[in-house]
Amino acid sequence: MELEEHSEDEESKGEDEGQNQNAPKKAKFGRKRKAALPDGVLKPVKLSRAELYKPPMNEELNQLKETENLFHSSLLRMQIEELLKEVTLKEKRRKSIDAFLHELNTLLSRVPETQETELTQQSWLPKRVKVPFLQVPYKVKGRFRFLPPTSVKVVGSYLLGTCIKPEVNVDLMMTMPQEILQAKDNLNQRYLRKRALYLAHIAHHLAQSELLGSVKFTYMNSNHMKPVVLLCPQGKDEKLVTVRLYACAPPGFFKPGRFHPSKNNVRTAWFLEQDSTLKGAIEPPTPHYNNSILCDLVMEQHLHFLSSAIKDSPGMKDGIAILKVWLRQRQLDKGFGCFSGFLASMVVAYLHSKHKVNAMMSGYQILRNALQFLATTDLTVNGITLAKVSDVSLPSLADFHQAFDVVFIDPSGFVNLCADMTTSKYKEIQFEAKYSMEILGDTTLDGFQQLLLVSKPLIRTFDHVFHLKNVSKLQGACKKMKLLNELMDHGGNYVGAVLPFLLSLLTQGLGQRILMLTHSLPVMPEWSLGDDPPKHKDIGLLSFGLLLSPEGSLSILDKGPEADSSEAVEFQKFWGEKSELRRFQDGSICEAVVWTAGTLFEKRLIPEHVVKHLLQLHADIPEYSMCYSGALLDTLIRVGKSPAGTGEEQMLSTVNSYDDLSRKLWNLEGLPLTVTSVQGIHPALRYTDVFPPVPVKPDYSFHEKVKSKKCLLPLVKKPCPAYVAPLKVICHMEGSGQWPQDKEAIKRVKAAFHVRLAELLKEKHQLVCRPTAAHVDVFKDGYVFRLQVAYHREPLFMKEFITPEGMMKYQDTEESLQLEMEILHLPYLSSTLHGLQQQHPAFSSTSRLAKRWISAQLLSDSISDECMDLLVAYLFLHPAPFTPPSSPQVGFLRFLQLMATFDWKNNPLIVNLNGDIKDIEYAEIKNDFMAARSRLPVMFIATPKDRKDSVWTRDRPSALILQRVVMLSIESVNILEKQLMDPLGNHDVKMVFRPPLDFYDVLIHLHPRQIPRHREAVDKPAKSFLRGMLKSSAVVKSFFFPVVDYDPVQCYLQELRVAFGELALFCYDAHGGEVIGVLWKPLAFEPQPFKTTNVKGRMMKFRANKALMVPNVEAILEDFEILGEGLVLSVEAHTEKWSI
């Protein structure tokens, strides 16, 4: 395994791999064909008849058989092969790396010797080189001198052929000469400090070589006791490879028995810098310290073990490479206590030793077996070992379980490969593996895409995330929790010492509120030779993630044991002053903790209160040292002043009032036909209205009374009254022969029904009603419900038309499609989403946040409300590779990510409401979509009742708007995730809700006085206008119907679009926006021939003796002001396109 031997093996291996040099050419040809398509839509390759029916060759038959046996499908095989091509090293790069390693080996043999000195006498080191070790305490016995390494060997994934890009690392193990070590170097960090000095001397001399571009230090897996040297080549080869230089003790120098998990190798008196140990004091075991030294003694043994397991199996090498990609996408493979690529290789080797995998398996099968093993094996309870169990001289698994959270023993029987891993981190790995197996088993999902191509950062994976801003506070936590023994064991690393105890504390306190608690892996930075080594606080952030339980997380009660039980004292001690005695309905008197929360918004904050209380109580970590980001975005959908929540209670009140009205309509007597169904279709009735309607009581002094009609009108001199939304309700009447067969006659019958409904509701329930031909408005509990009678056959009559030949035919019209949407599609969607909200309480707020963001970008008129609801529903029904969101914040982040990454050109978004689309029907929907792609909307959403047309996106968004949404989503998700993961930075999350106005050609500024929803703005105004509404407690003698559905800005926008829709797009934030953005349409500025149809908004110009019509922009801008008189403050032009 020497460096020279290895390169020959690699070269011969490279020749074998290089035989199939023509393989990539086909891929290149395929890419070229695809790129040639103008619109980026994938299309099937056309084959000649001869090619299509050519009999398969033997090689193709063998490949098909192999695919059937070893892979899920042909597509999966191709995907994995492409992935492996991307991540594995090319032969040319290997040869360059080998050449670099040979030159490096020569350099290492020429490092000069030094004189022997005391270990603490380090003046022989140049001043520009600092020892890469935290020497606390500084005094330590022992002597040191430098002698060249007795051997330099390549170990690790590079030699095994399992190294993956983009970060190519090669591990070089230098064996230190026996002469520089002493018998008792296992004690008090002596060996570890000699190792650090050895590396410092070598690094100093390598830094002077022209071969190397950079020489730095880092910690191995961020373990501060194990520094390594990082070497990168010079110049253009800088990114070729990073060599990690390890220094190890010679084999057999230390007896492994000295490092038994129960033995002590760090003396308390030395660590505390005391003169002598107290008599009779028992030294605590130092298992982590022991393990860190043992790792150096078995590196070569591990290499031989892995090599013998995987050397003859390309499938196992592929499996390990894919498993590493899986770990990297979940951010599990780097940092202190990580599940490294080496550990992944050992898991596969373990499965091989137990005959659960074999050399004939494909990489995909190896991945599945490894994930299945991780999902079903709890190493925190039942550890595993690669050593021979019969050897009684080895420590038992029970010994390891007593010392470590997670147990996986190496072939030597002494080293725990998972020594630094916490229980929480392993539980996360187990959870991820189990969920990954479910994804692979779901035929409706692209398992490859979800598992290996989608990144899962902490902030987008967990519902709540909090950070410890000041990690040094954990020193105080160690003191408070009396963790001196653990601190000694970790060499003073208070983060590593206290972390398992904090996690255990929070897991116990959060209990049923969470499904999982995890933490970020502390990552130490690299540093230059002349810098001091990073201290423990230099890990930067320590972040924690909570995966909330949808049911338990909102509970306001933590019930404890009965008052007279022995556990009651423990409960009181755990919760401190929060614990109190309470009597329950069953008569029992128990200890309990009750959290004050009146609204759903406050209930979502309970986990935050639990965390802050427990960390303050048990670890002396003050609230200001924490940054909790669980509900920072909720402020954007908060209604009213400070005590109010995020509107869920108001919507529940609205739904209750609607339910009562629905029962009254069902039981209404005196109608010619009975009511067969009552279905609310307003967003508030499915819990997705951005700002839910509030009960209104108009102030008559603010309005003009129309006494003859008992209704109110806005007064010109007063500000625009508050916006009262009509809550639309579809009232289906039974089918009967009494219904006419003519569409105009049906409209008249419906008008009569509206009049009769108003009469009966007033007569029997004393409800104030206002009937019209199209609907009847009902004022109930402060809300205005707009009832619309429907007859199920009416759309059919609207489609009728007579051909010139006298034949009757049916054809969709705008009117029939609109009616179908209102009386068929919308009621189904509303009832289904109402049900979804009952399953997933976070759905409502997530949808509202998404709509608020779209509206804030001035695009609310460009994407329908229903389309937004379906996009958010997709996140809850098809969350893979995540779990369904349990907080609005993480739901919104995933919405942005969906909009930023979904391939709308080549895929339909299938939202399987109620699970009504069967697995086998997915392929049918996709095939229909691809066959008709050119005539379908740019954004295609399929639902169980709408598989081929995408009715919710038929007219909008346009390709331009969709492109804009994608760009804004990419920017927003990047900015927002950075903000939420940076507790010391800017926490103004509203930044992504403020639109970039420089994008627009013209800005129309509006007067806030005439904006009825002014208080709904992203940046809520400090002062606004009174909107003519009384308090709910005010007494009103006589009743006048309020002004309904009146928003002057929407009326103005409608007029603008009618007048100038051919020339420009008008964009507005319906929730309190003060600006209308105008975008000129590029085609509008192309000169048109002189015709009367082209006169609108244009003026005549002569060019080349030809009369042409061009937009008269100055006149149009003037018209904007004239049309909006009293509403428009000013018109600001950003461009001068009218000069074209």
Side-chain angles (χ1 to χ4, degrees), residues 922-938:
Y922 273 74
E924 187 183 325
I925 292 172
K926 287 176 183 175
N927 292 338
D928 290 345
F929 167 81
M930 291 307 292
R933 185 65 191 104
S934 57
R935 60 179 178 78
L936 293 173
V938 288

Side-chain angles (χ1 to χ4, degrees), residues 340-395:
S340 63
F342 164 69
L343 207 48
S345 303
M346 290 303 255
V347 165
V348 173
Y350 173 80
L351 294 175
H352 181 262
S353 71
K354 296 296 179 185
H355 309 294
K356 292 187 178 179
V357 299
N358 59 58
M360 299 305 294
M361 285 183 172
S362 68
Y364 172 70
Q365 288 177 307
I366 299 291
L367 174 71
R368 281 191 72 112
N369 276 282
L371 292 178
Q372 180 65 23
F373 170 76
L374 290 171
T376 55
T377 310
D378 190 352
L379 299 183
T380 63
V381 179
N382 300 307
I384 55 173
T385 179
L386 288 161
K388 293 177 181 175
V389 184
S390 57
D391 193 341
V392 292
S393 64
L394 300 177

Side-chain angles (χ1 to χ4, degrees), residues 161-175:
T162 58
C163 184
I164 65 166
K165 295 187 283 187
E167 296 169 13
V168 179
N169 298 311
V170 176
D171 298 327
L172 272 189
M173 182 187 82
M174 302 180 299
T175 305

Side-chain angles (χ1 to χ4, degrees), residues 92-119:
K92 184 180 177 184
R93 187 168 180 178
R94 276 188 168 277
K95 286 180 180 177
S96 300
I97 292 172
D98 289 346
F100 174 67
L101 291 175
H102 277 291
E103 292 183 67
L104 189 57
N105 188 36
T106 308
L107 276 178
L108 289 170
S109 63
R110 293 175 183 166
V111 179
E113 300 179 9
T114 65
Q115 295 295 317
E116 189 173 68
T117 61
E118 288 295 321
L119 205 48

Side-chain angles (χ1 to χ4, degrees), residues 682-894:
H682 189 272
L685 302 179
R686 54 179 184 263
Y687 300 99
T688 63
D689 200 13
V690 179
F691 292 99
V694 290
V696 295
K697 194 171 278 186
D699 180 355
Y700 298 157
S701 65
F702 227 80
H703 300 78
E704 181 187 334
K705 293 181 185 176
V706 182
K707 292 185 179 179
S708 60
K709 294 187 177 180
K710 296 283 282 183
C711 68
L712 302 173
L713 289 175
L715 275 174
V716 178
K717 294 177 183 178
K718 296 280 187 181
C720 178
Y723 181 73
V724 179
L727 307 177
K728 206 165 195 180
V729 177
I730 302 297
C731 202
H732 280 270
M733 311 305 288
E734 68 174 323
S736 163
Q738 297 175 40
W739 281 100
Q741 306 294 304
D742 176 71
K743 62 182 180 181
E744 291 303 322
I746 290 173
K747 286 179 183 176
R748 285 168 173 75
V749 171
K750 282 166 62 179
F753 266 117
H754 292 142
V755 173
R756 185 63 181 146
L757 273 171
E759 290 170 356
L760 290 170
L761 287 170
K762 185 176 181 182
E763 178 189 324
K764 300 197 173 181
H765 301 290
Q766 293 73 51
L767 293 174
V768 181
C769 303
R770 190 171 62 181
T772 69
H775 56 259
V776 55
D777 285 345
V778 180
F779 188 83
K780 182 180 184 298
D781 304 328
Y783 305 106
V784 175
F785 293 95
R786 179 159 286 177
L787 304 184
Q788 183 178 318
V789 168
Y791 172 46
H792 68 279
R793 294 194 65 196
E794 187 180 2
L796 190 68
F797 296 128
M798 284 184 168
K799 294 178 185 181
E800 287 179 357
F801 76 101
I802 308 294
T803 64
E805 294 81 24
M807 296 276 291
M808 181 180 283
K809 288 196 174 182
Y810 295 91
Q811 185 177 335
D812 287 334
T813 63
E814 278 299 318
E815 194 181 13
S816 72
L817 290 172
Q818 181 60 32
L819 188 65
E820 268 185 352
M821 188 172 289
E822 283 191 353
I823 70 172
L824 296 175
H825 296 296
L826 255 175
Y828 167 75
L829 181 69
S830 293
S831 62
T832 310
L833 294 180
H834 187 284
L836 185 65
Q837 166 63 17
Q838 308 308 314
Q839 289 178 295
H840 300 285
F843 167 72
S844 162
S845 299
T846 304
S847 181
R848 291 165 60 208
L849 270 176
K851 289 180 187 178
R852 186 68 196 93
W853 179 80
I854 283 286
S855 185
Q857 304 303 331
L858 314 189
L859 298 172
S860 52
D861 292 332
S862 303
I863 300 180
S864 69
D865 248 25
E866 295 73 28
C867 171
M868 292 299 296
D869 286 342
L870 284 170
L871 288 168
V872 174
Y874 177 83
L875 301 171
F876 288 83
L877 296 170
H878 313 279
F882 304 99
T883 52
S886 289
S887 79
Q889 177 177 288
V890 78
F892 178 64
L893 284 171
R894 290 187 204 164

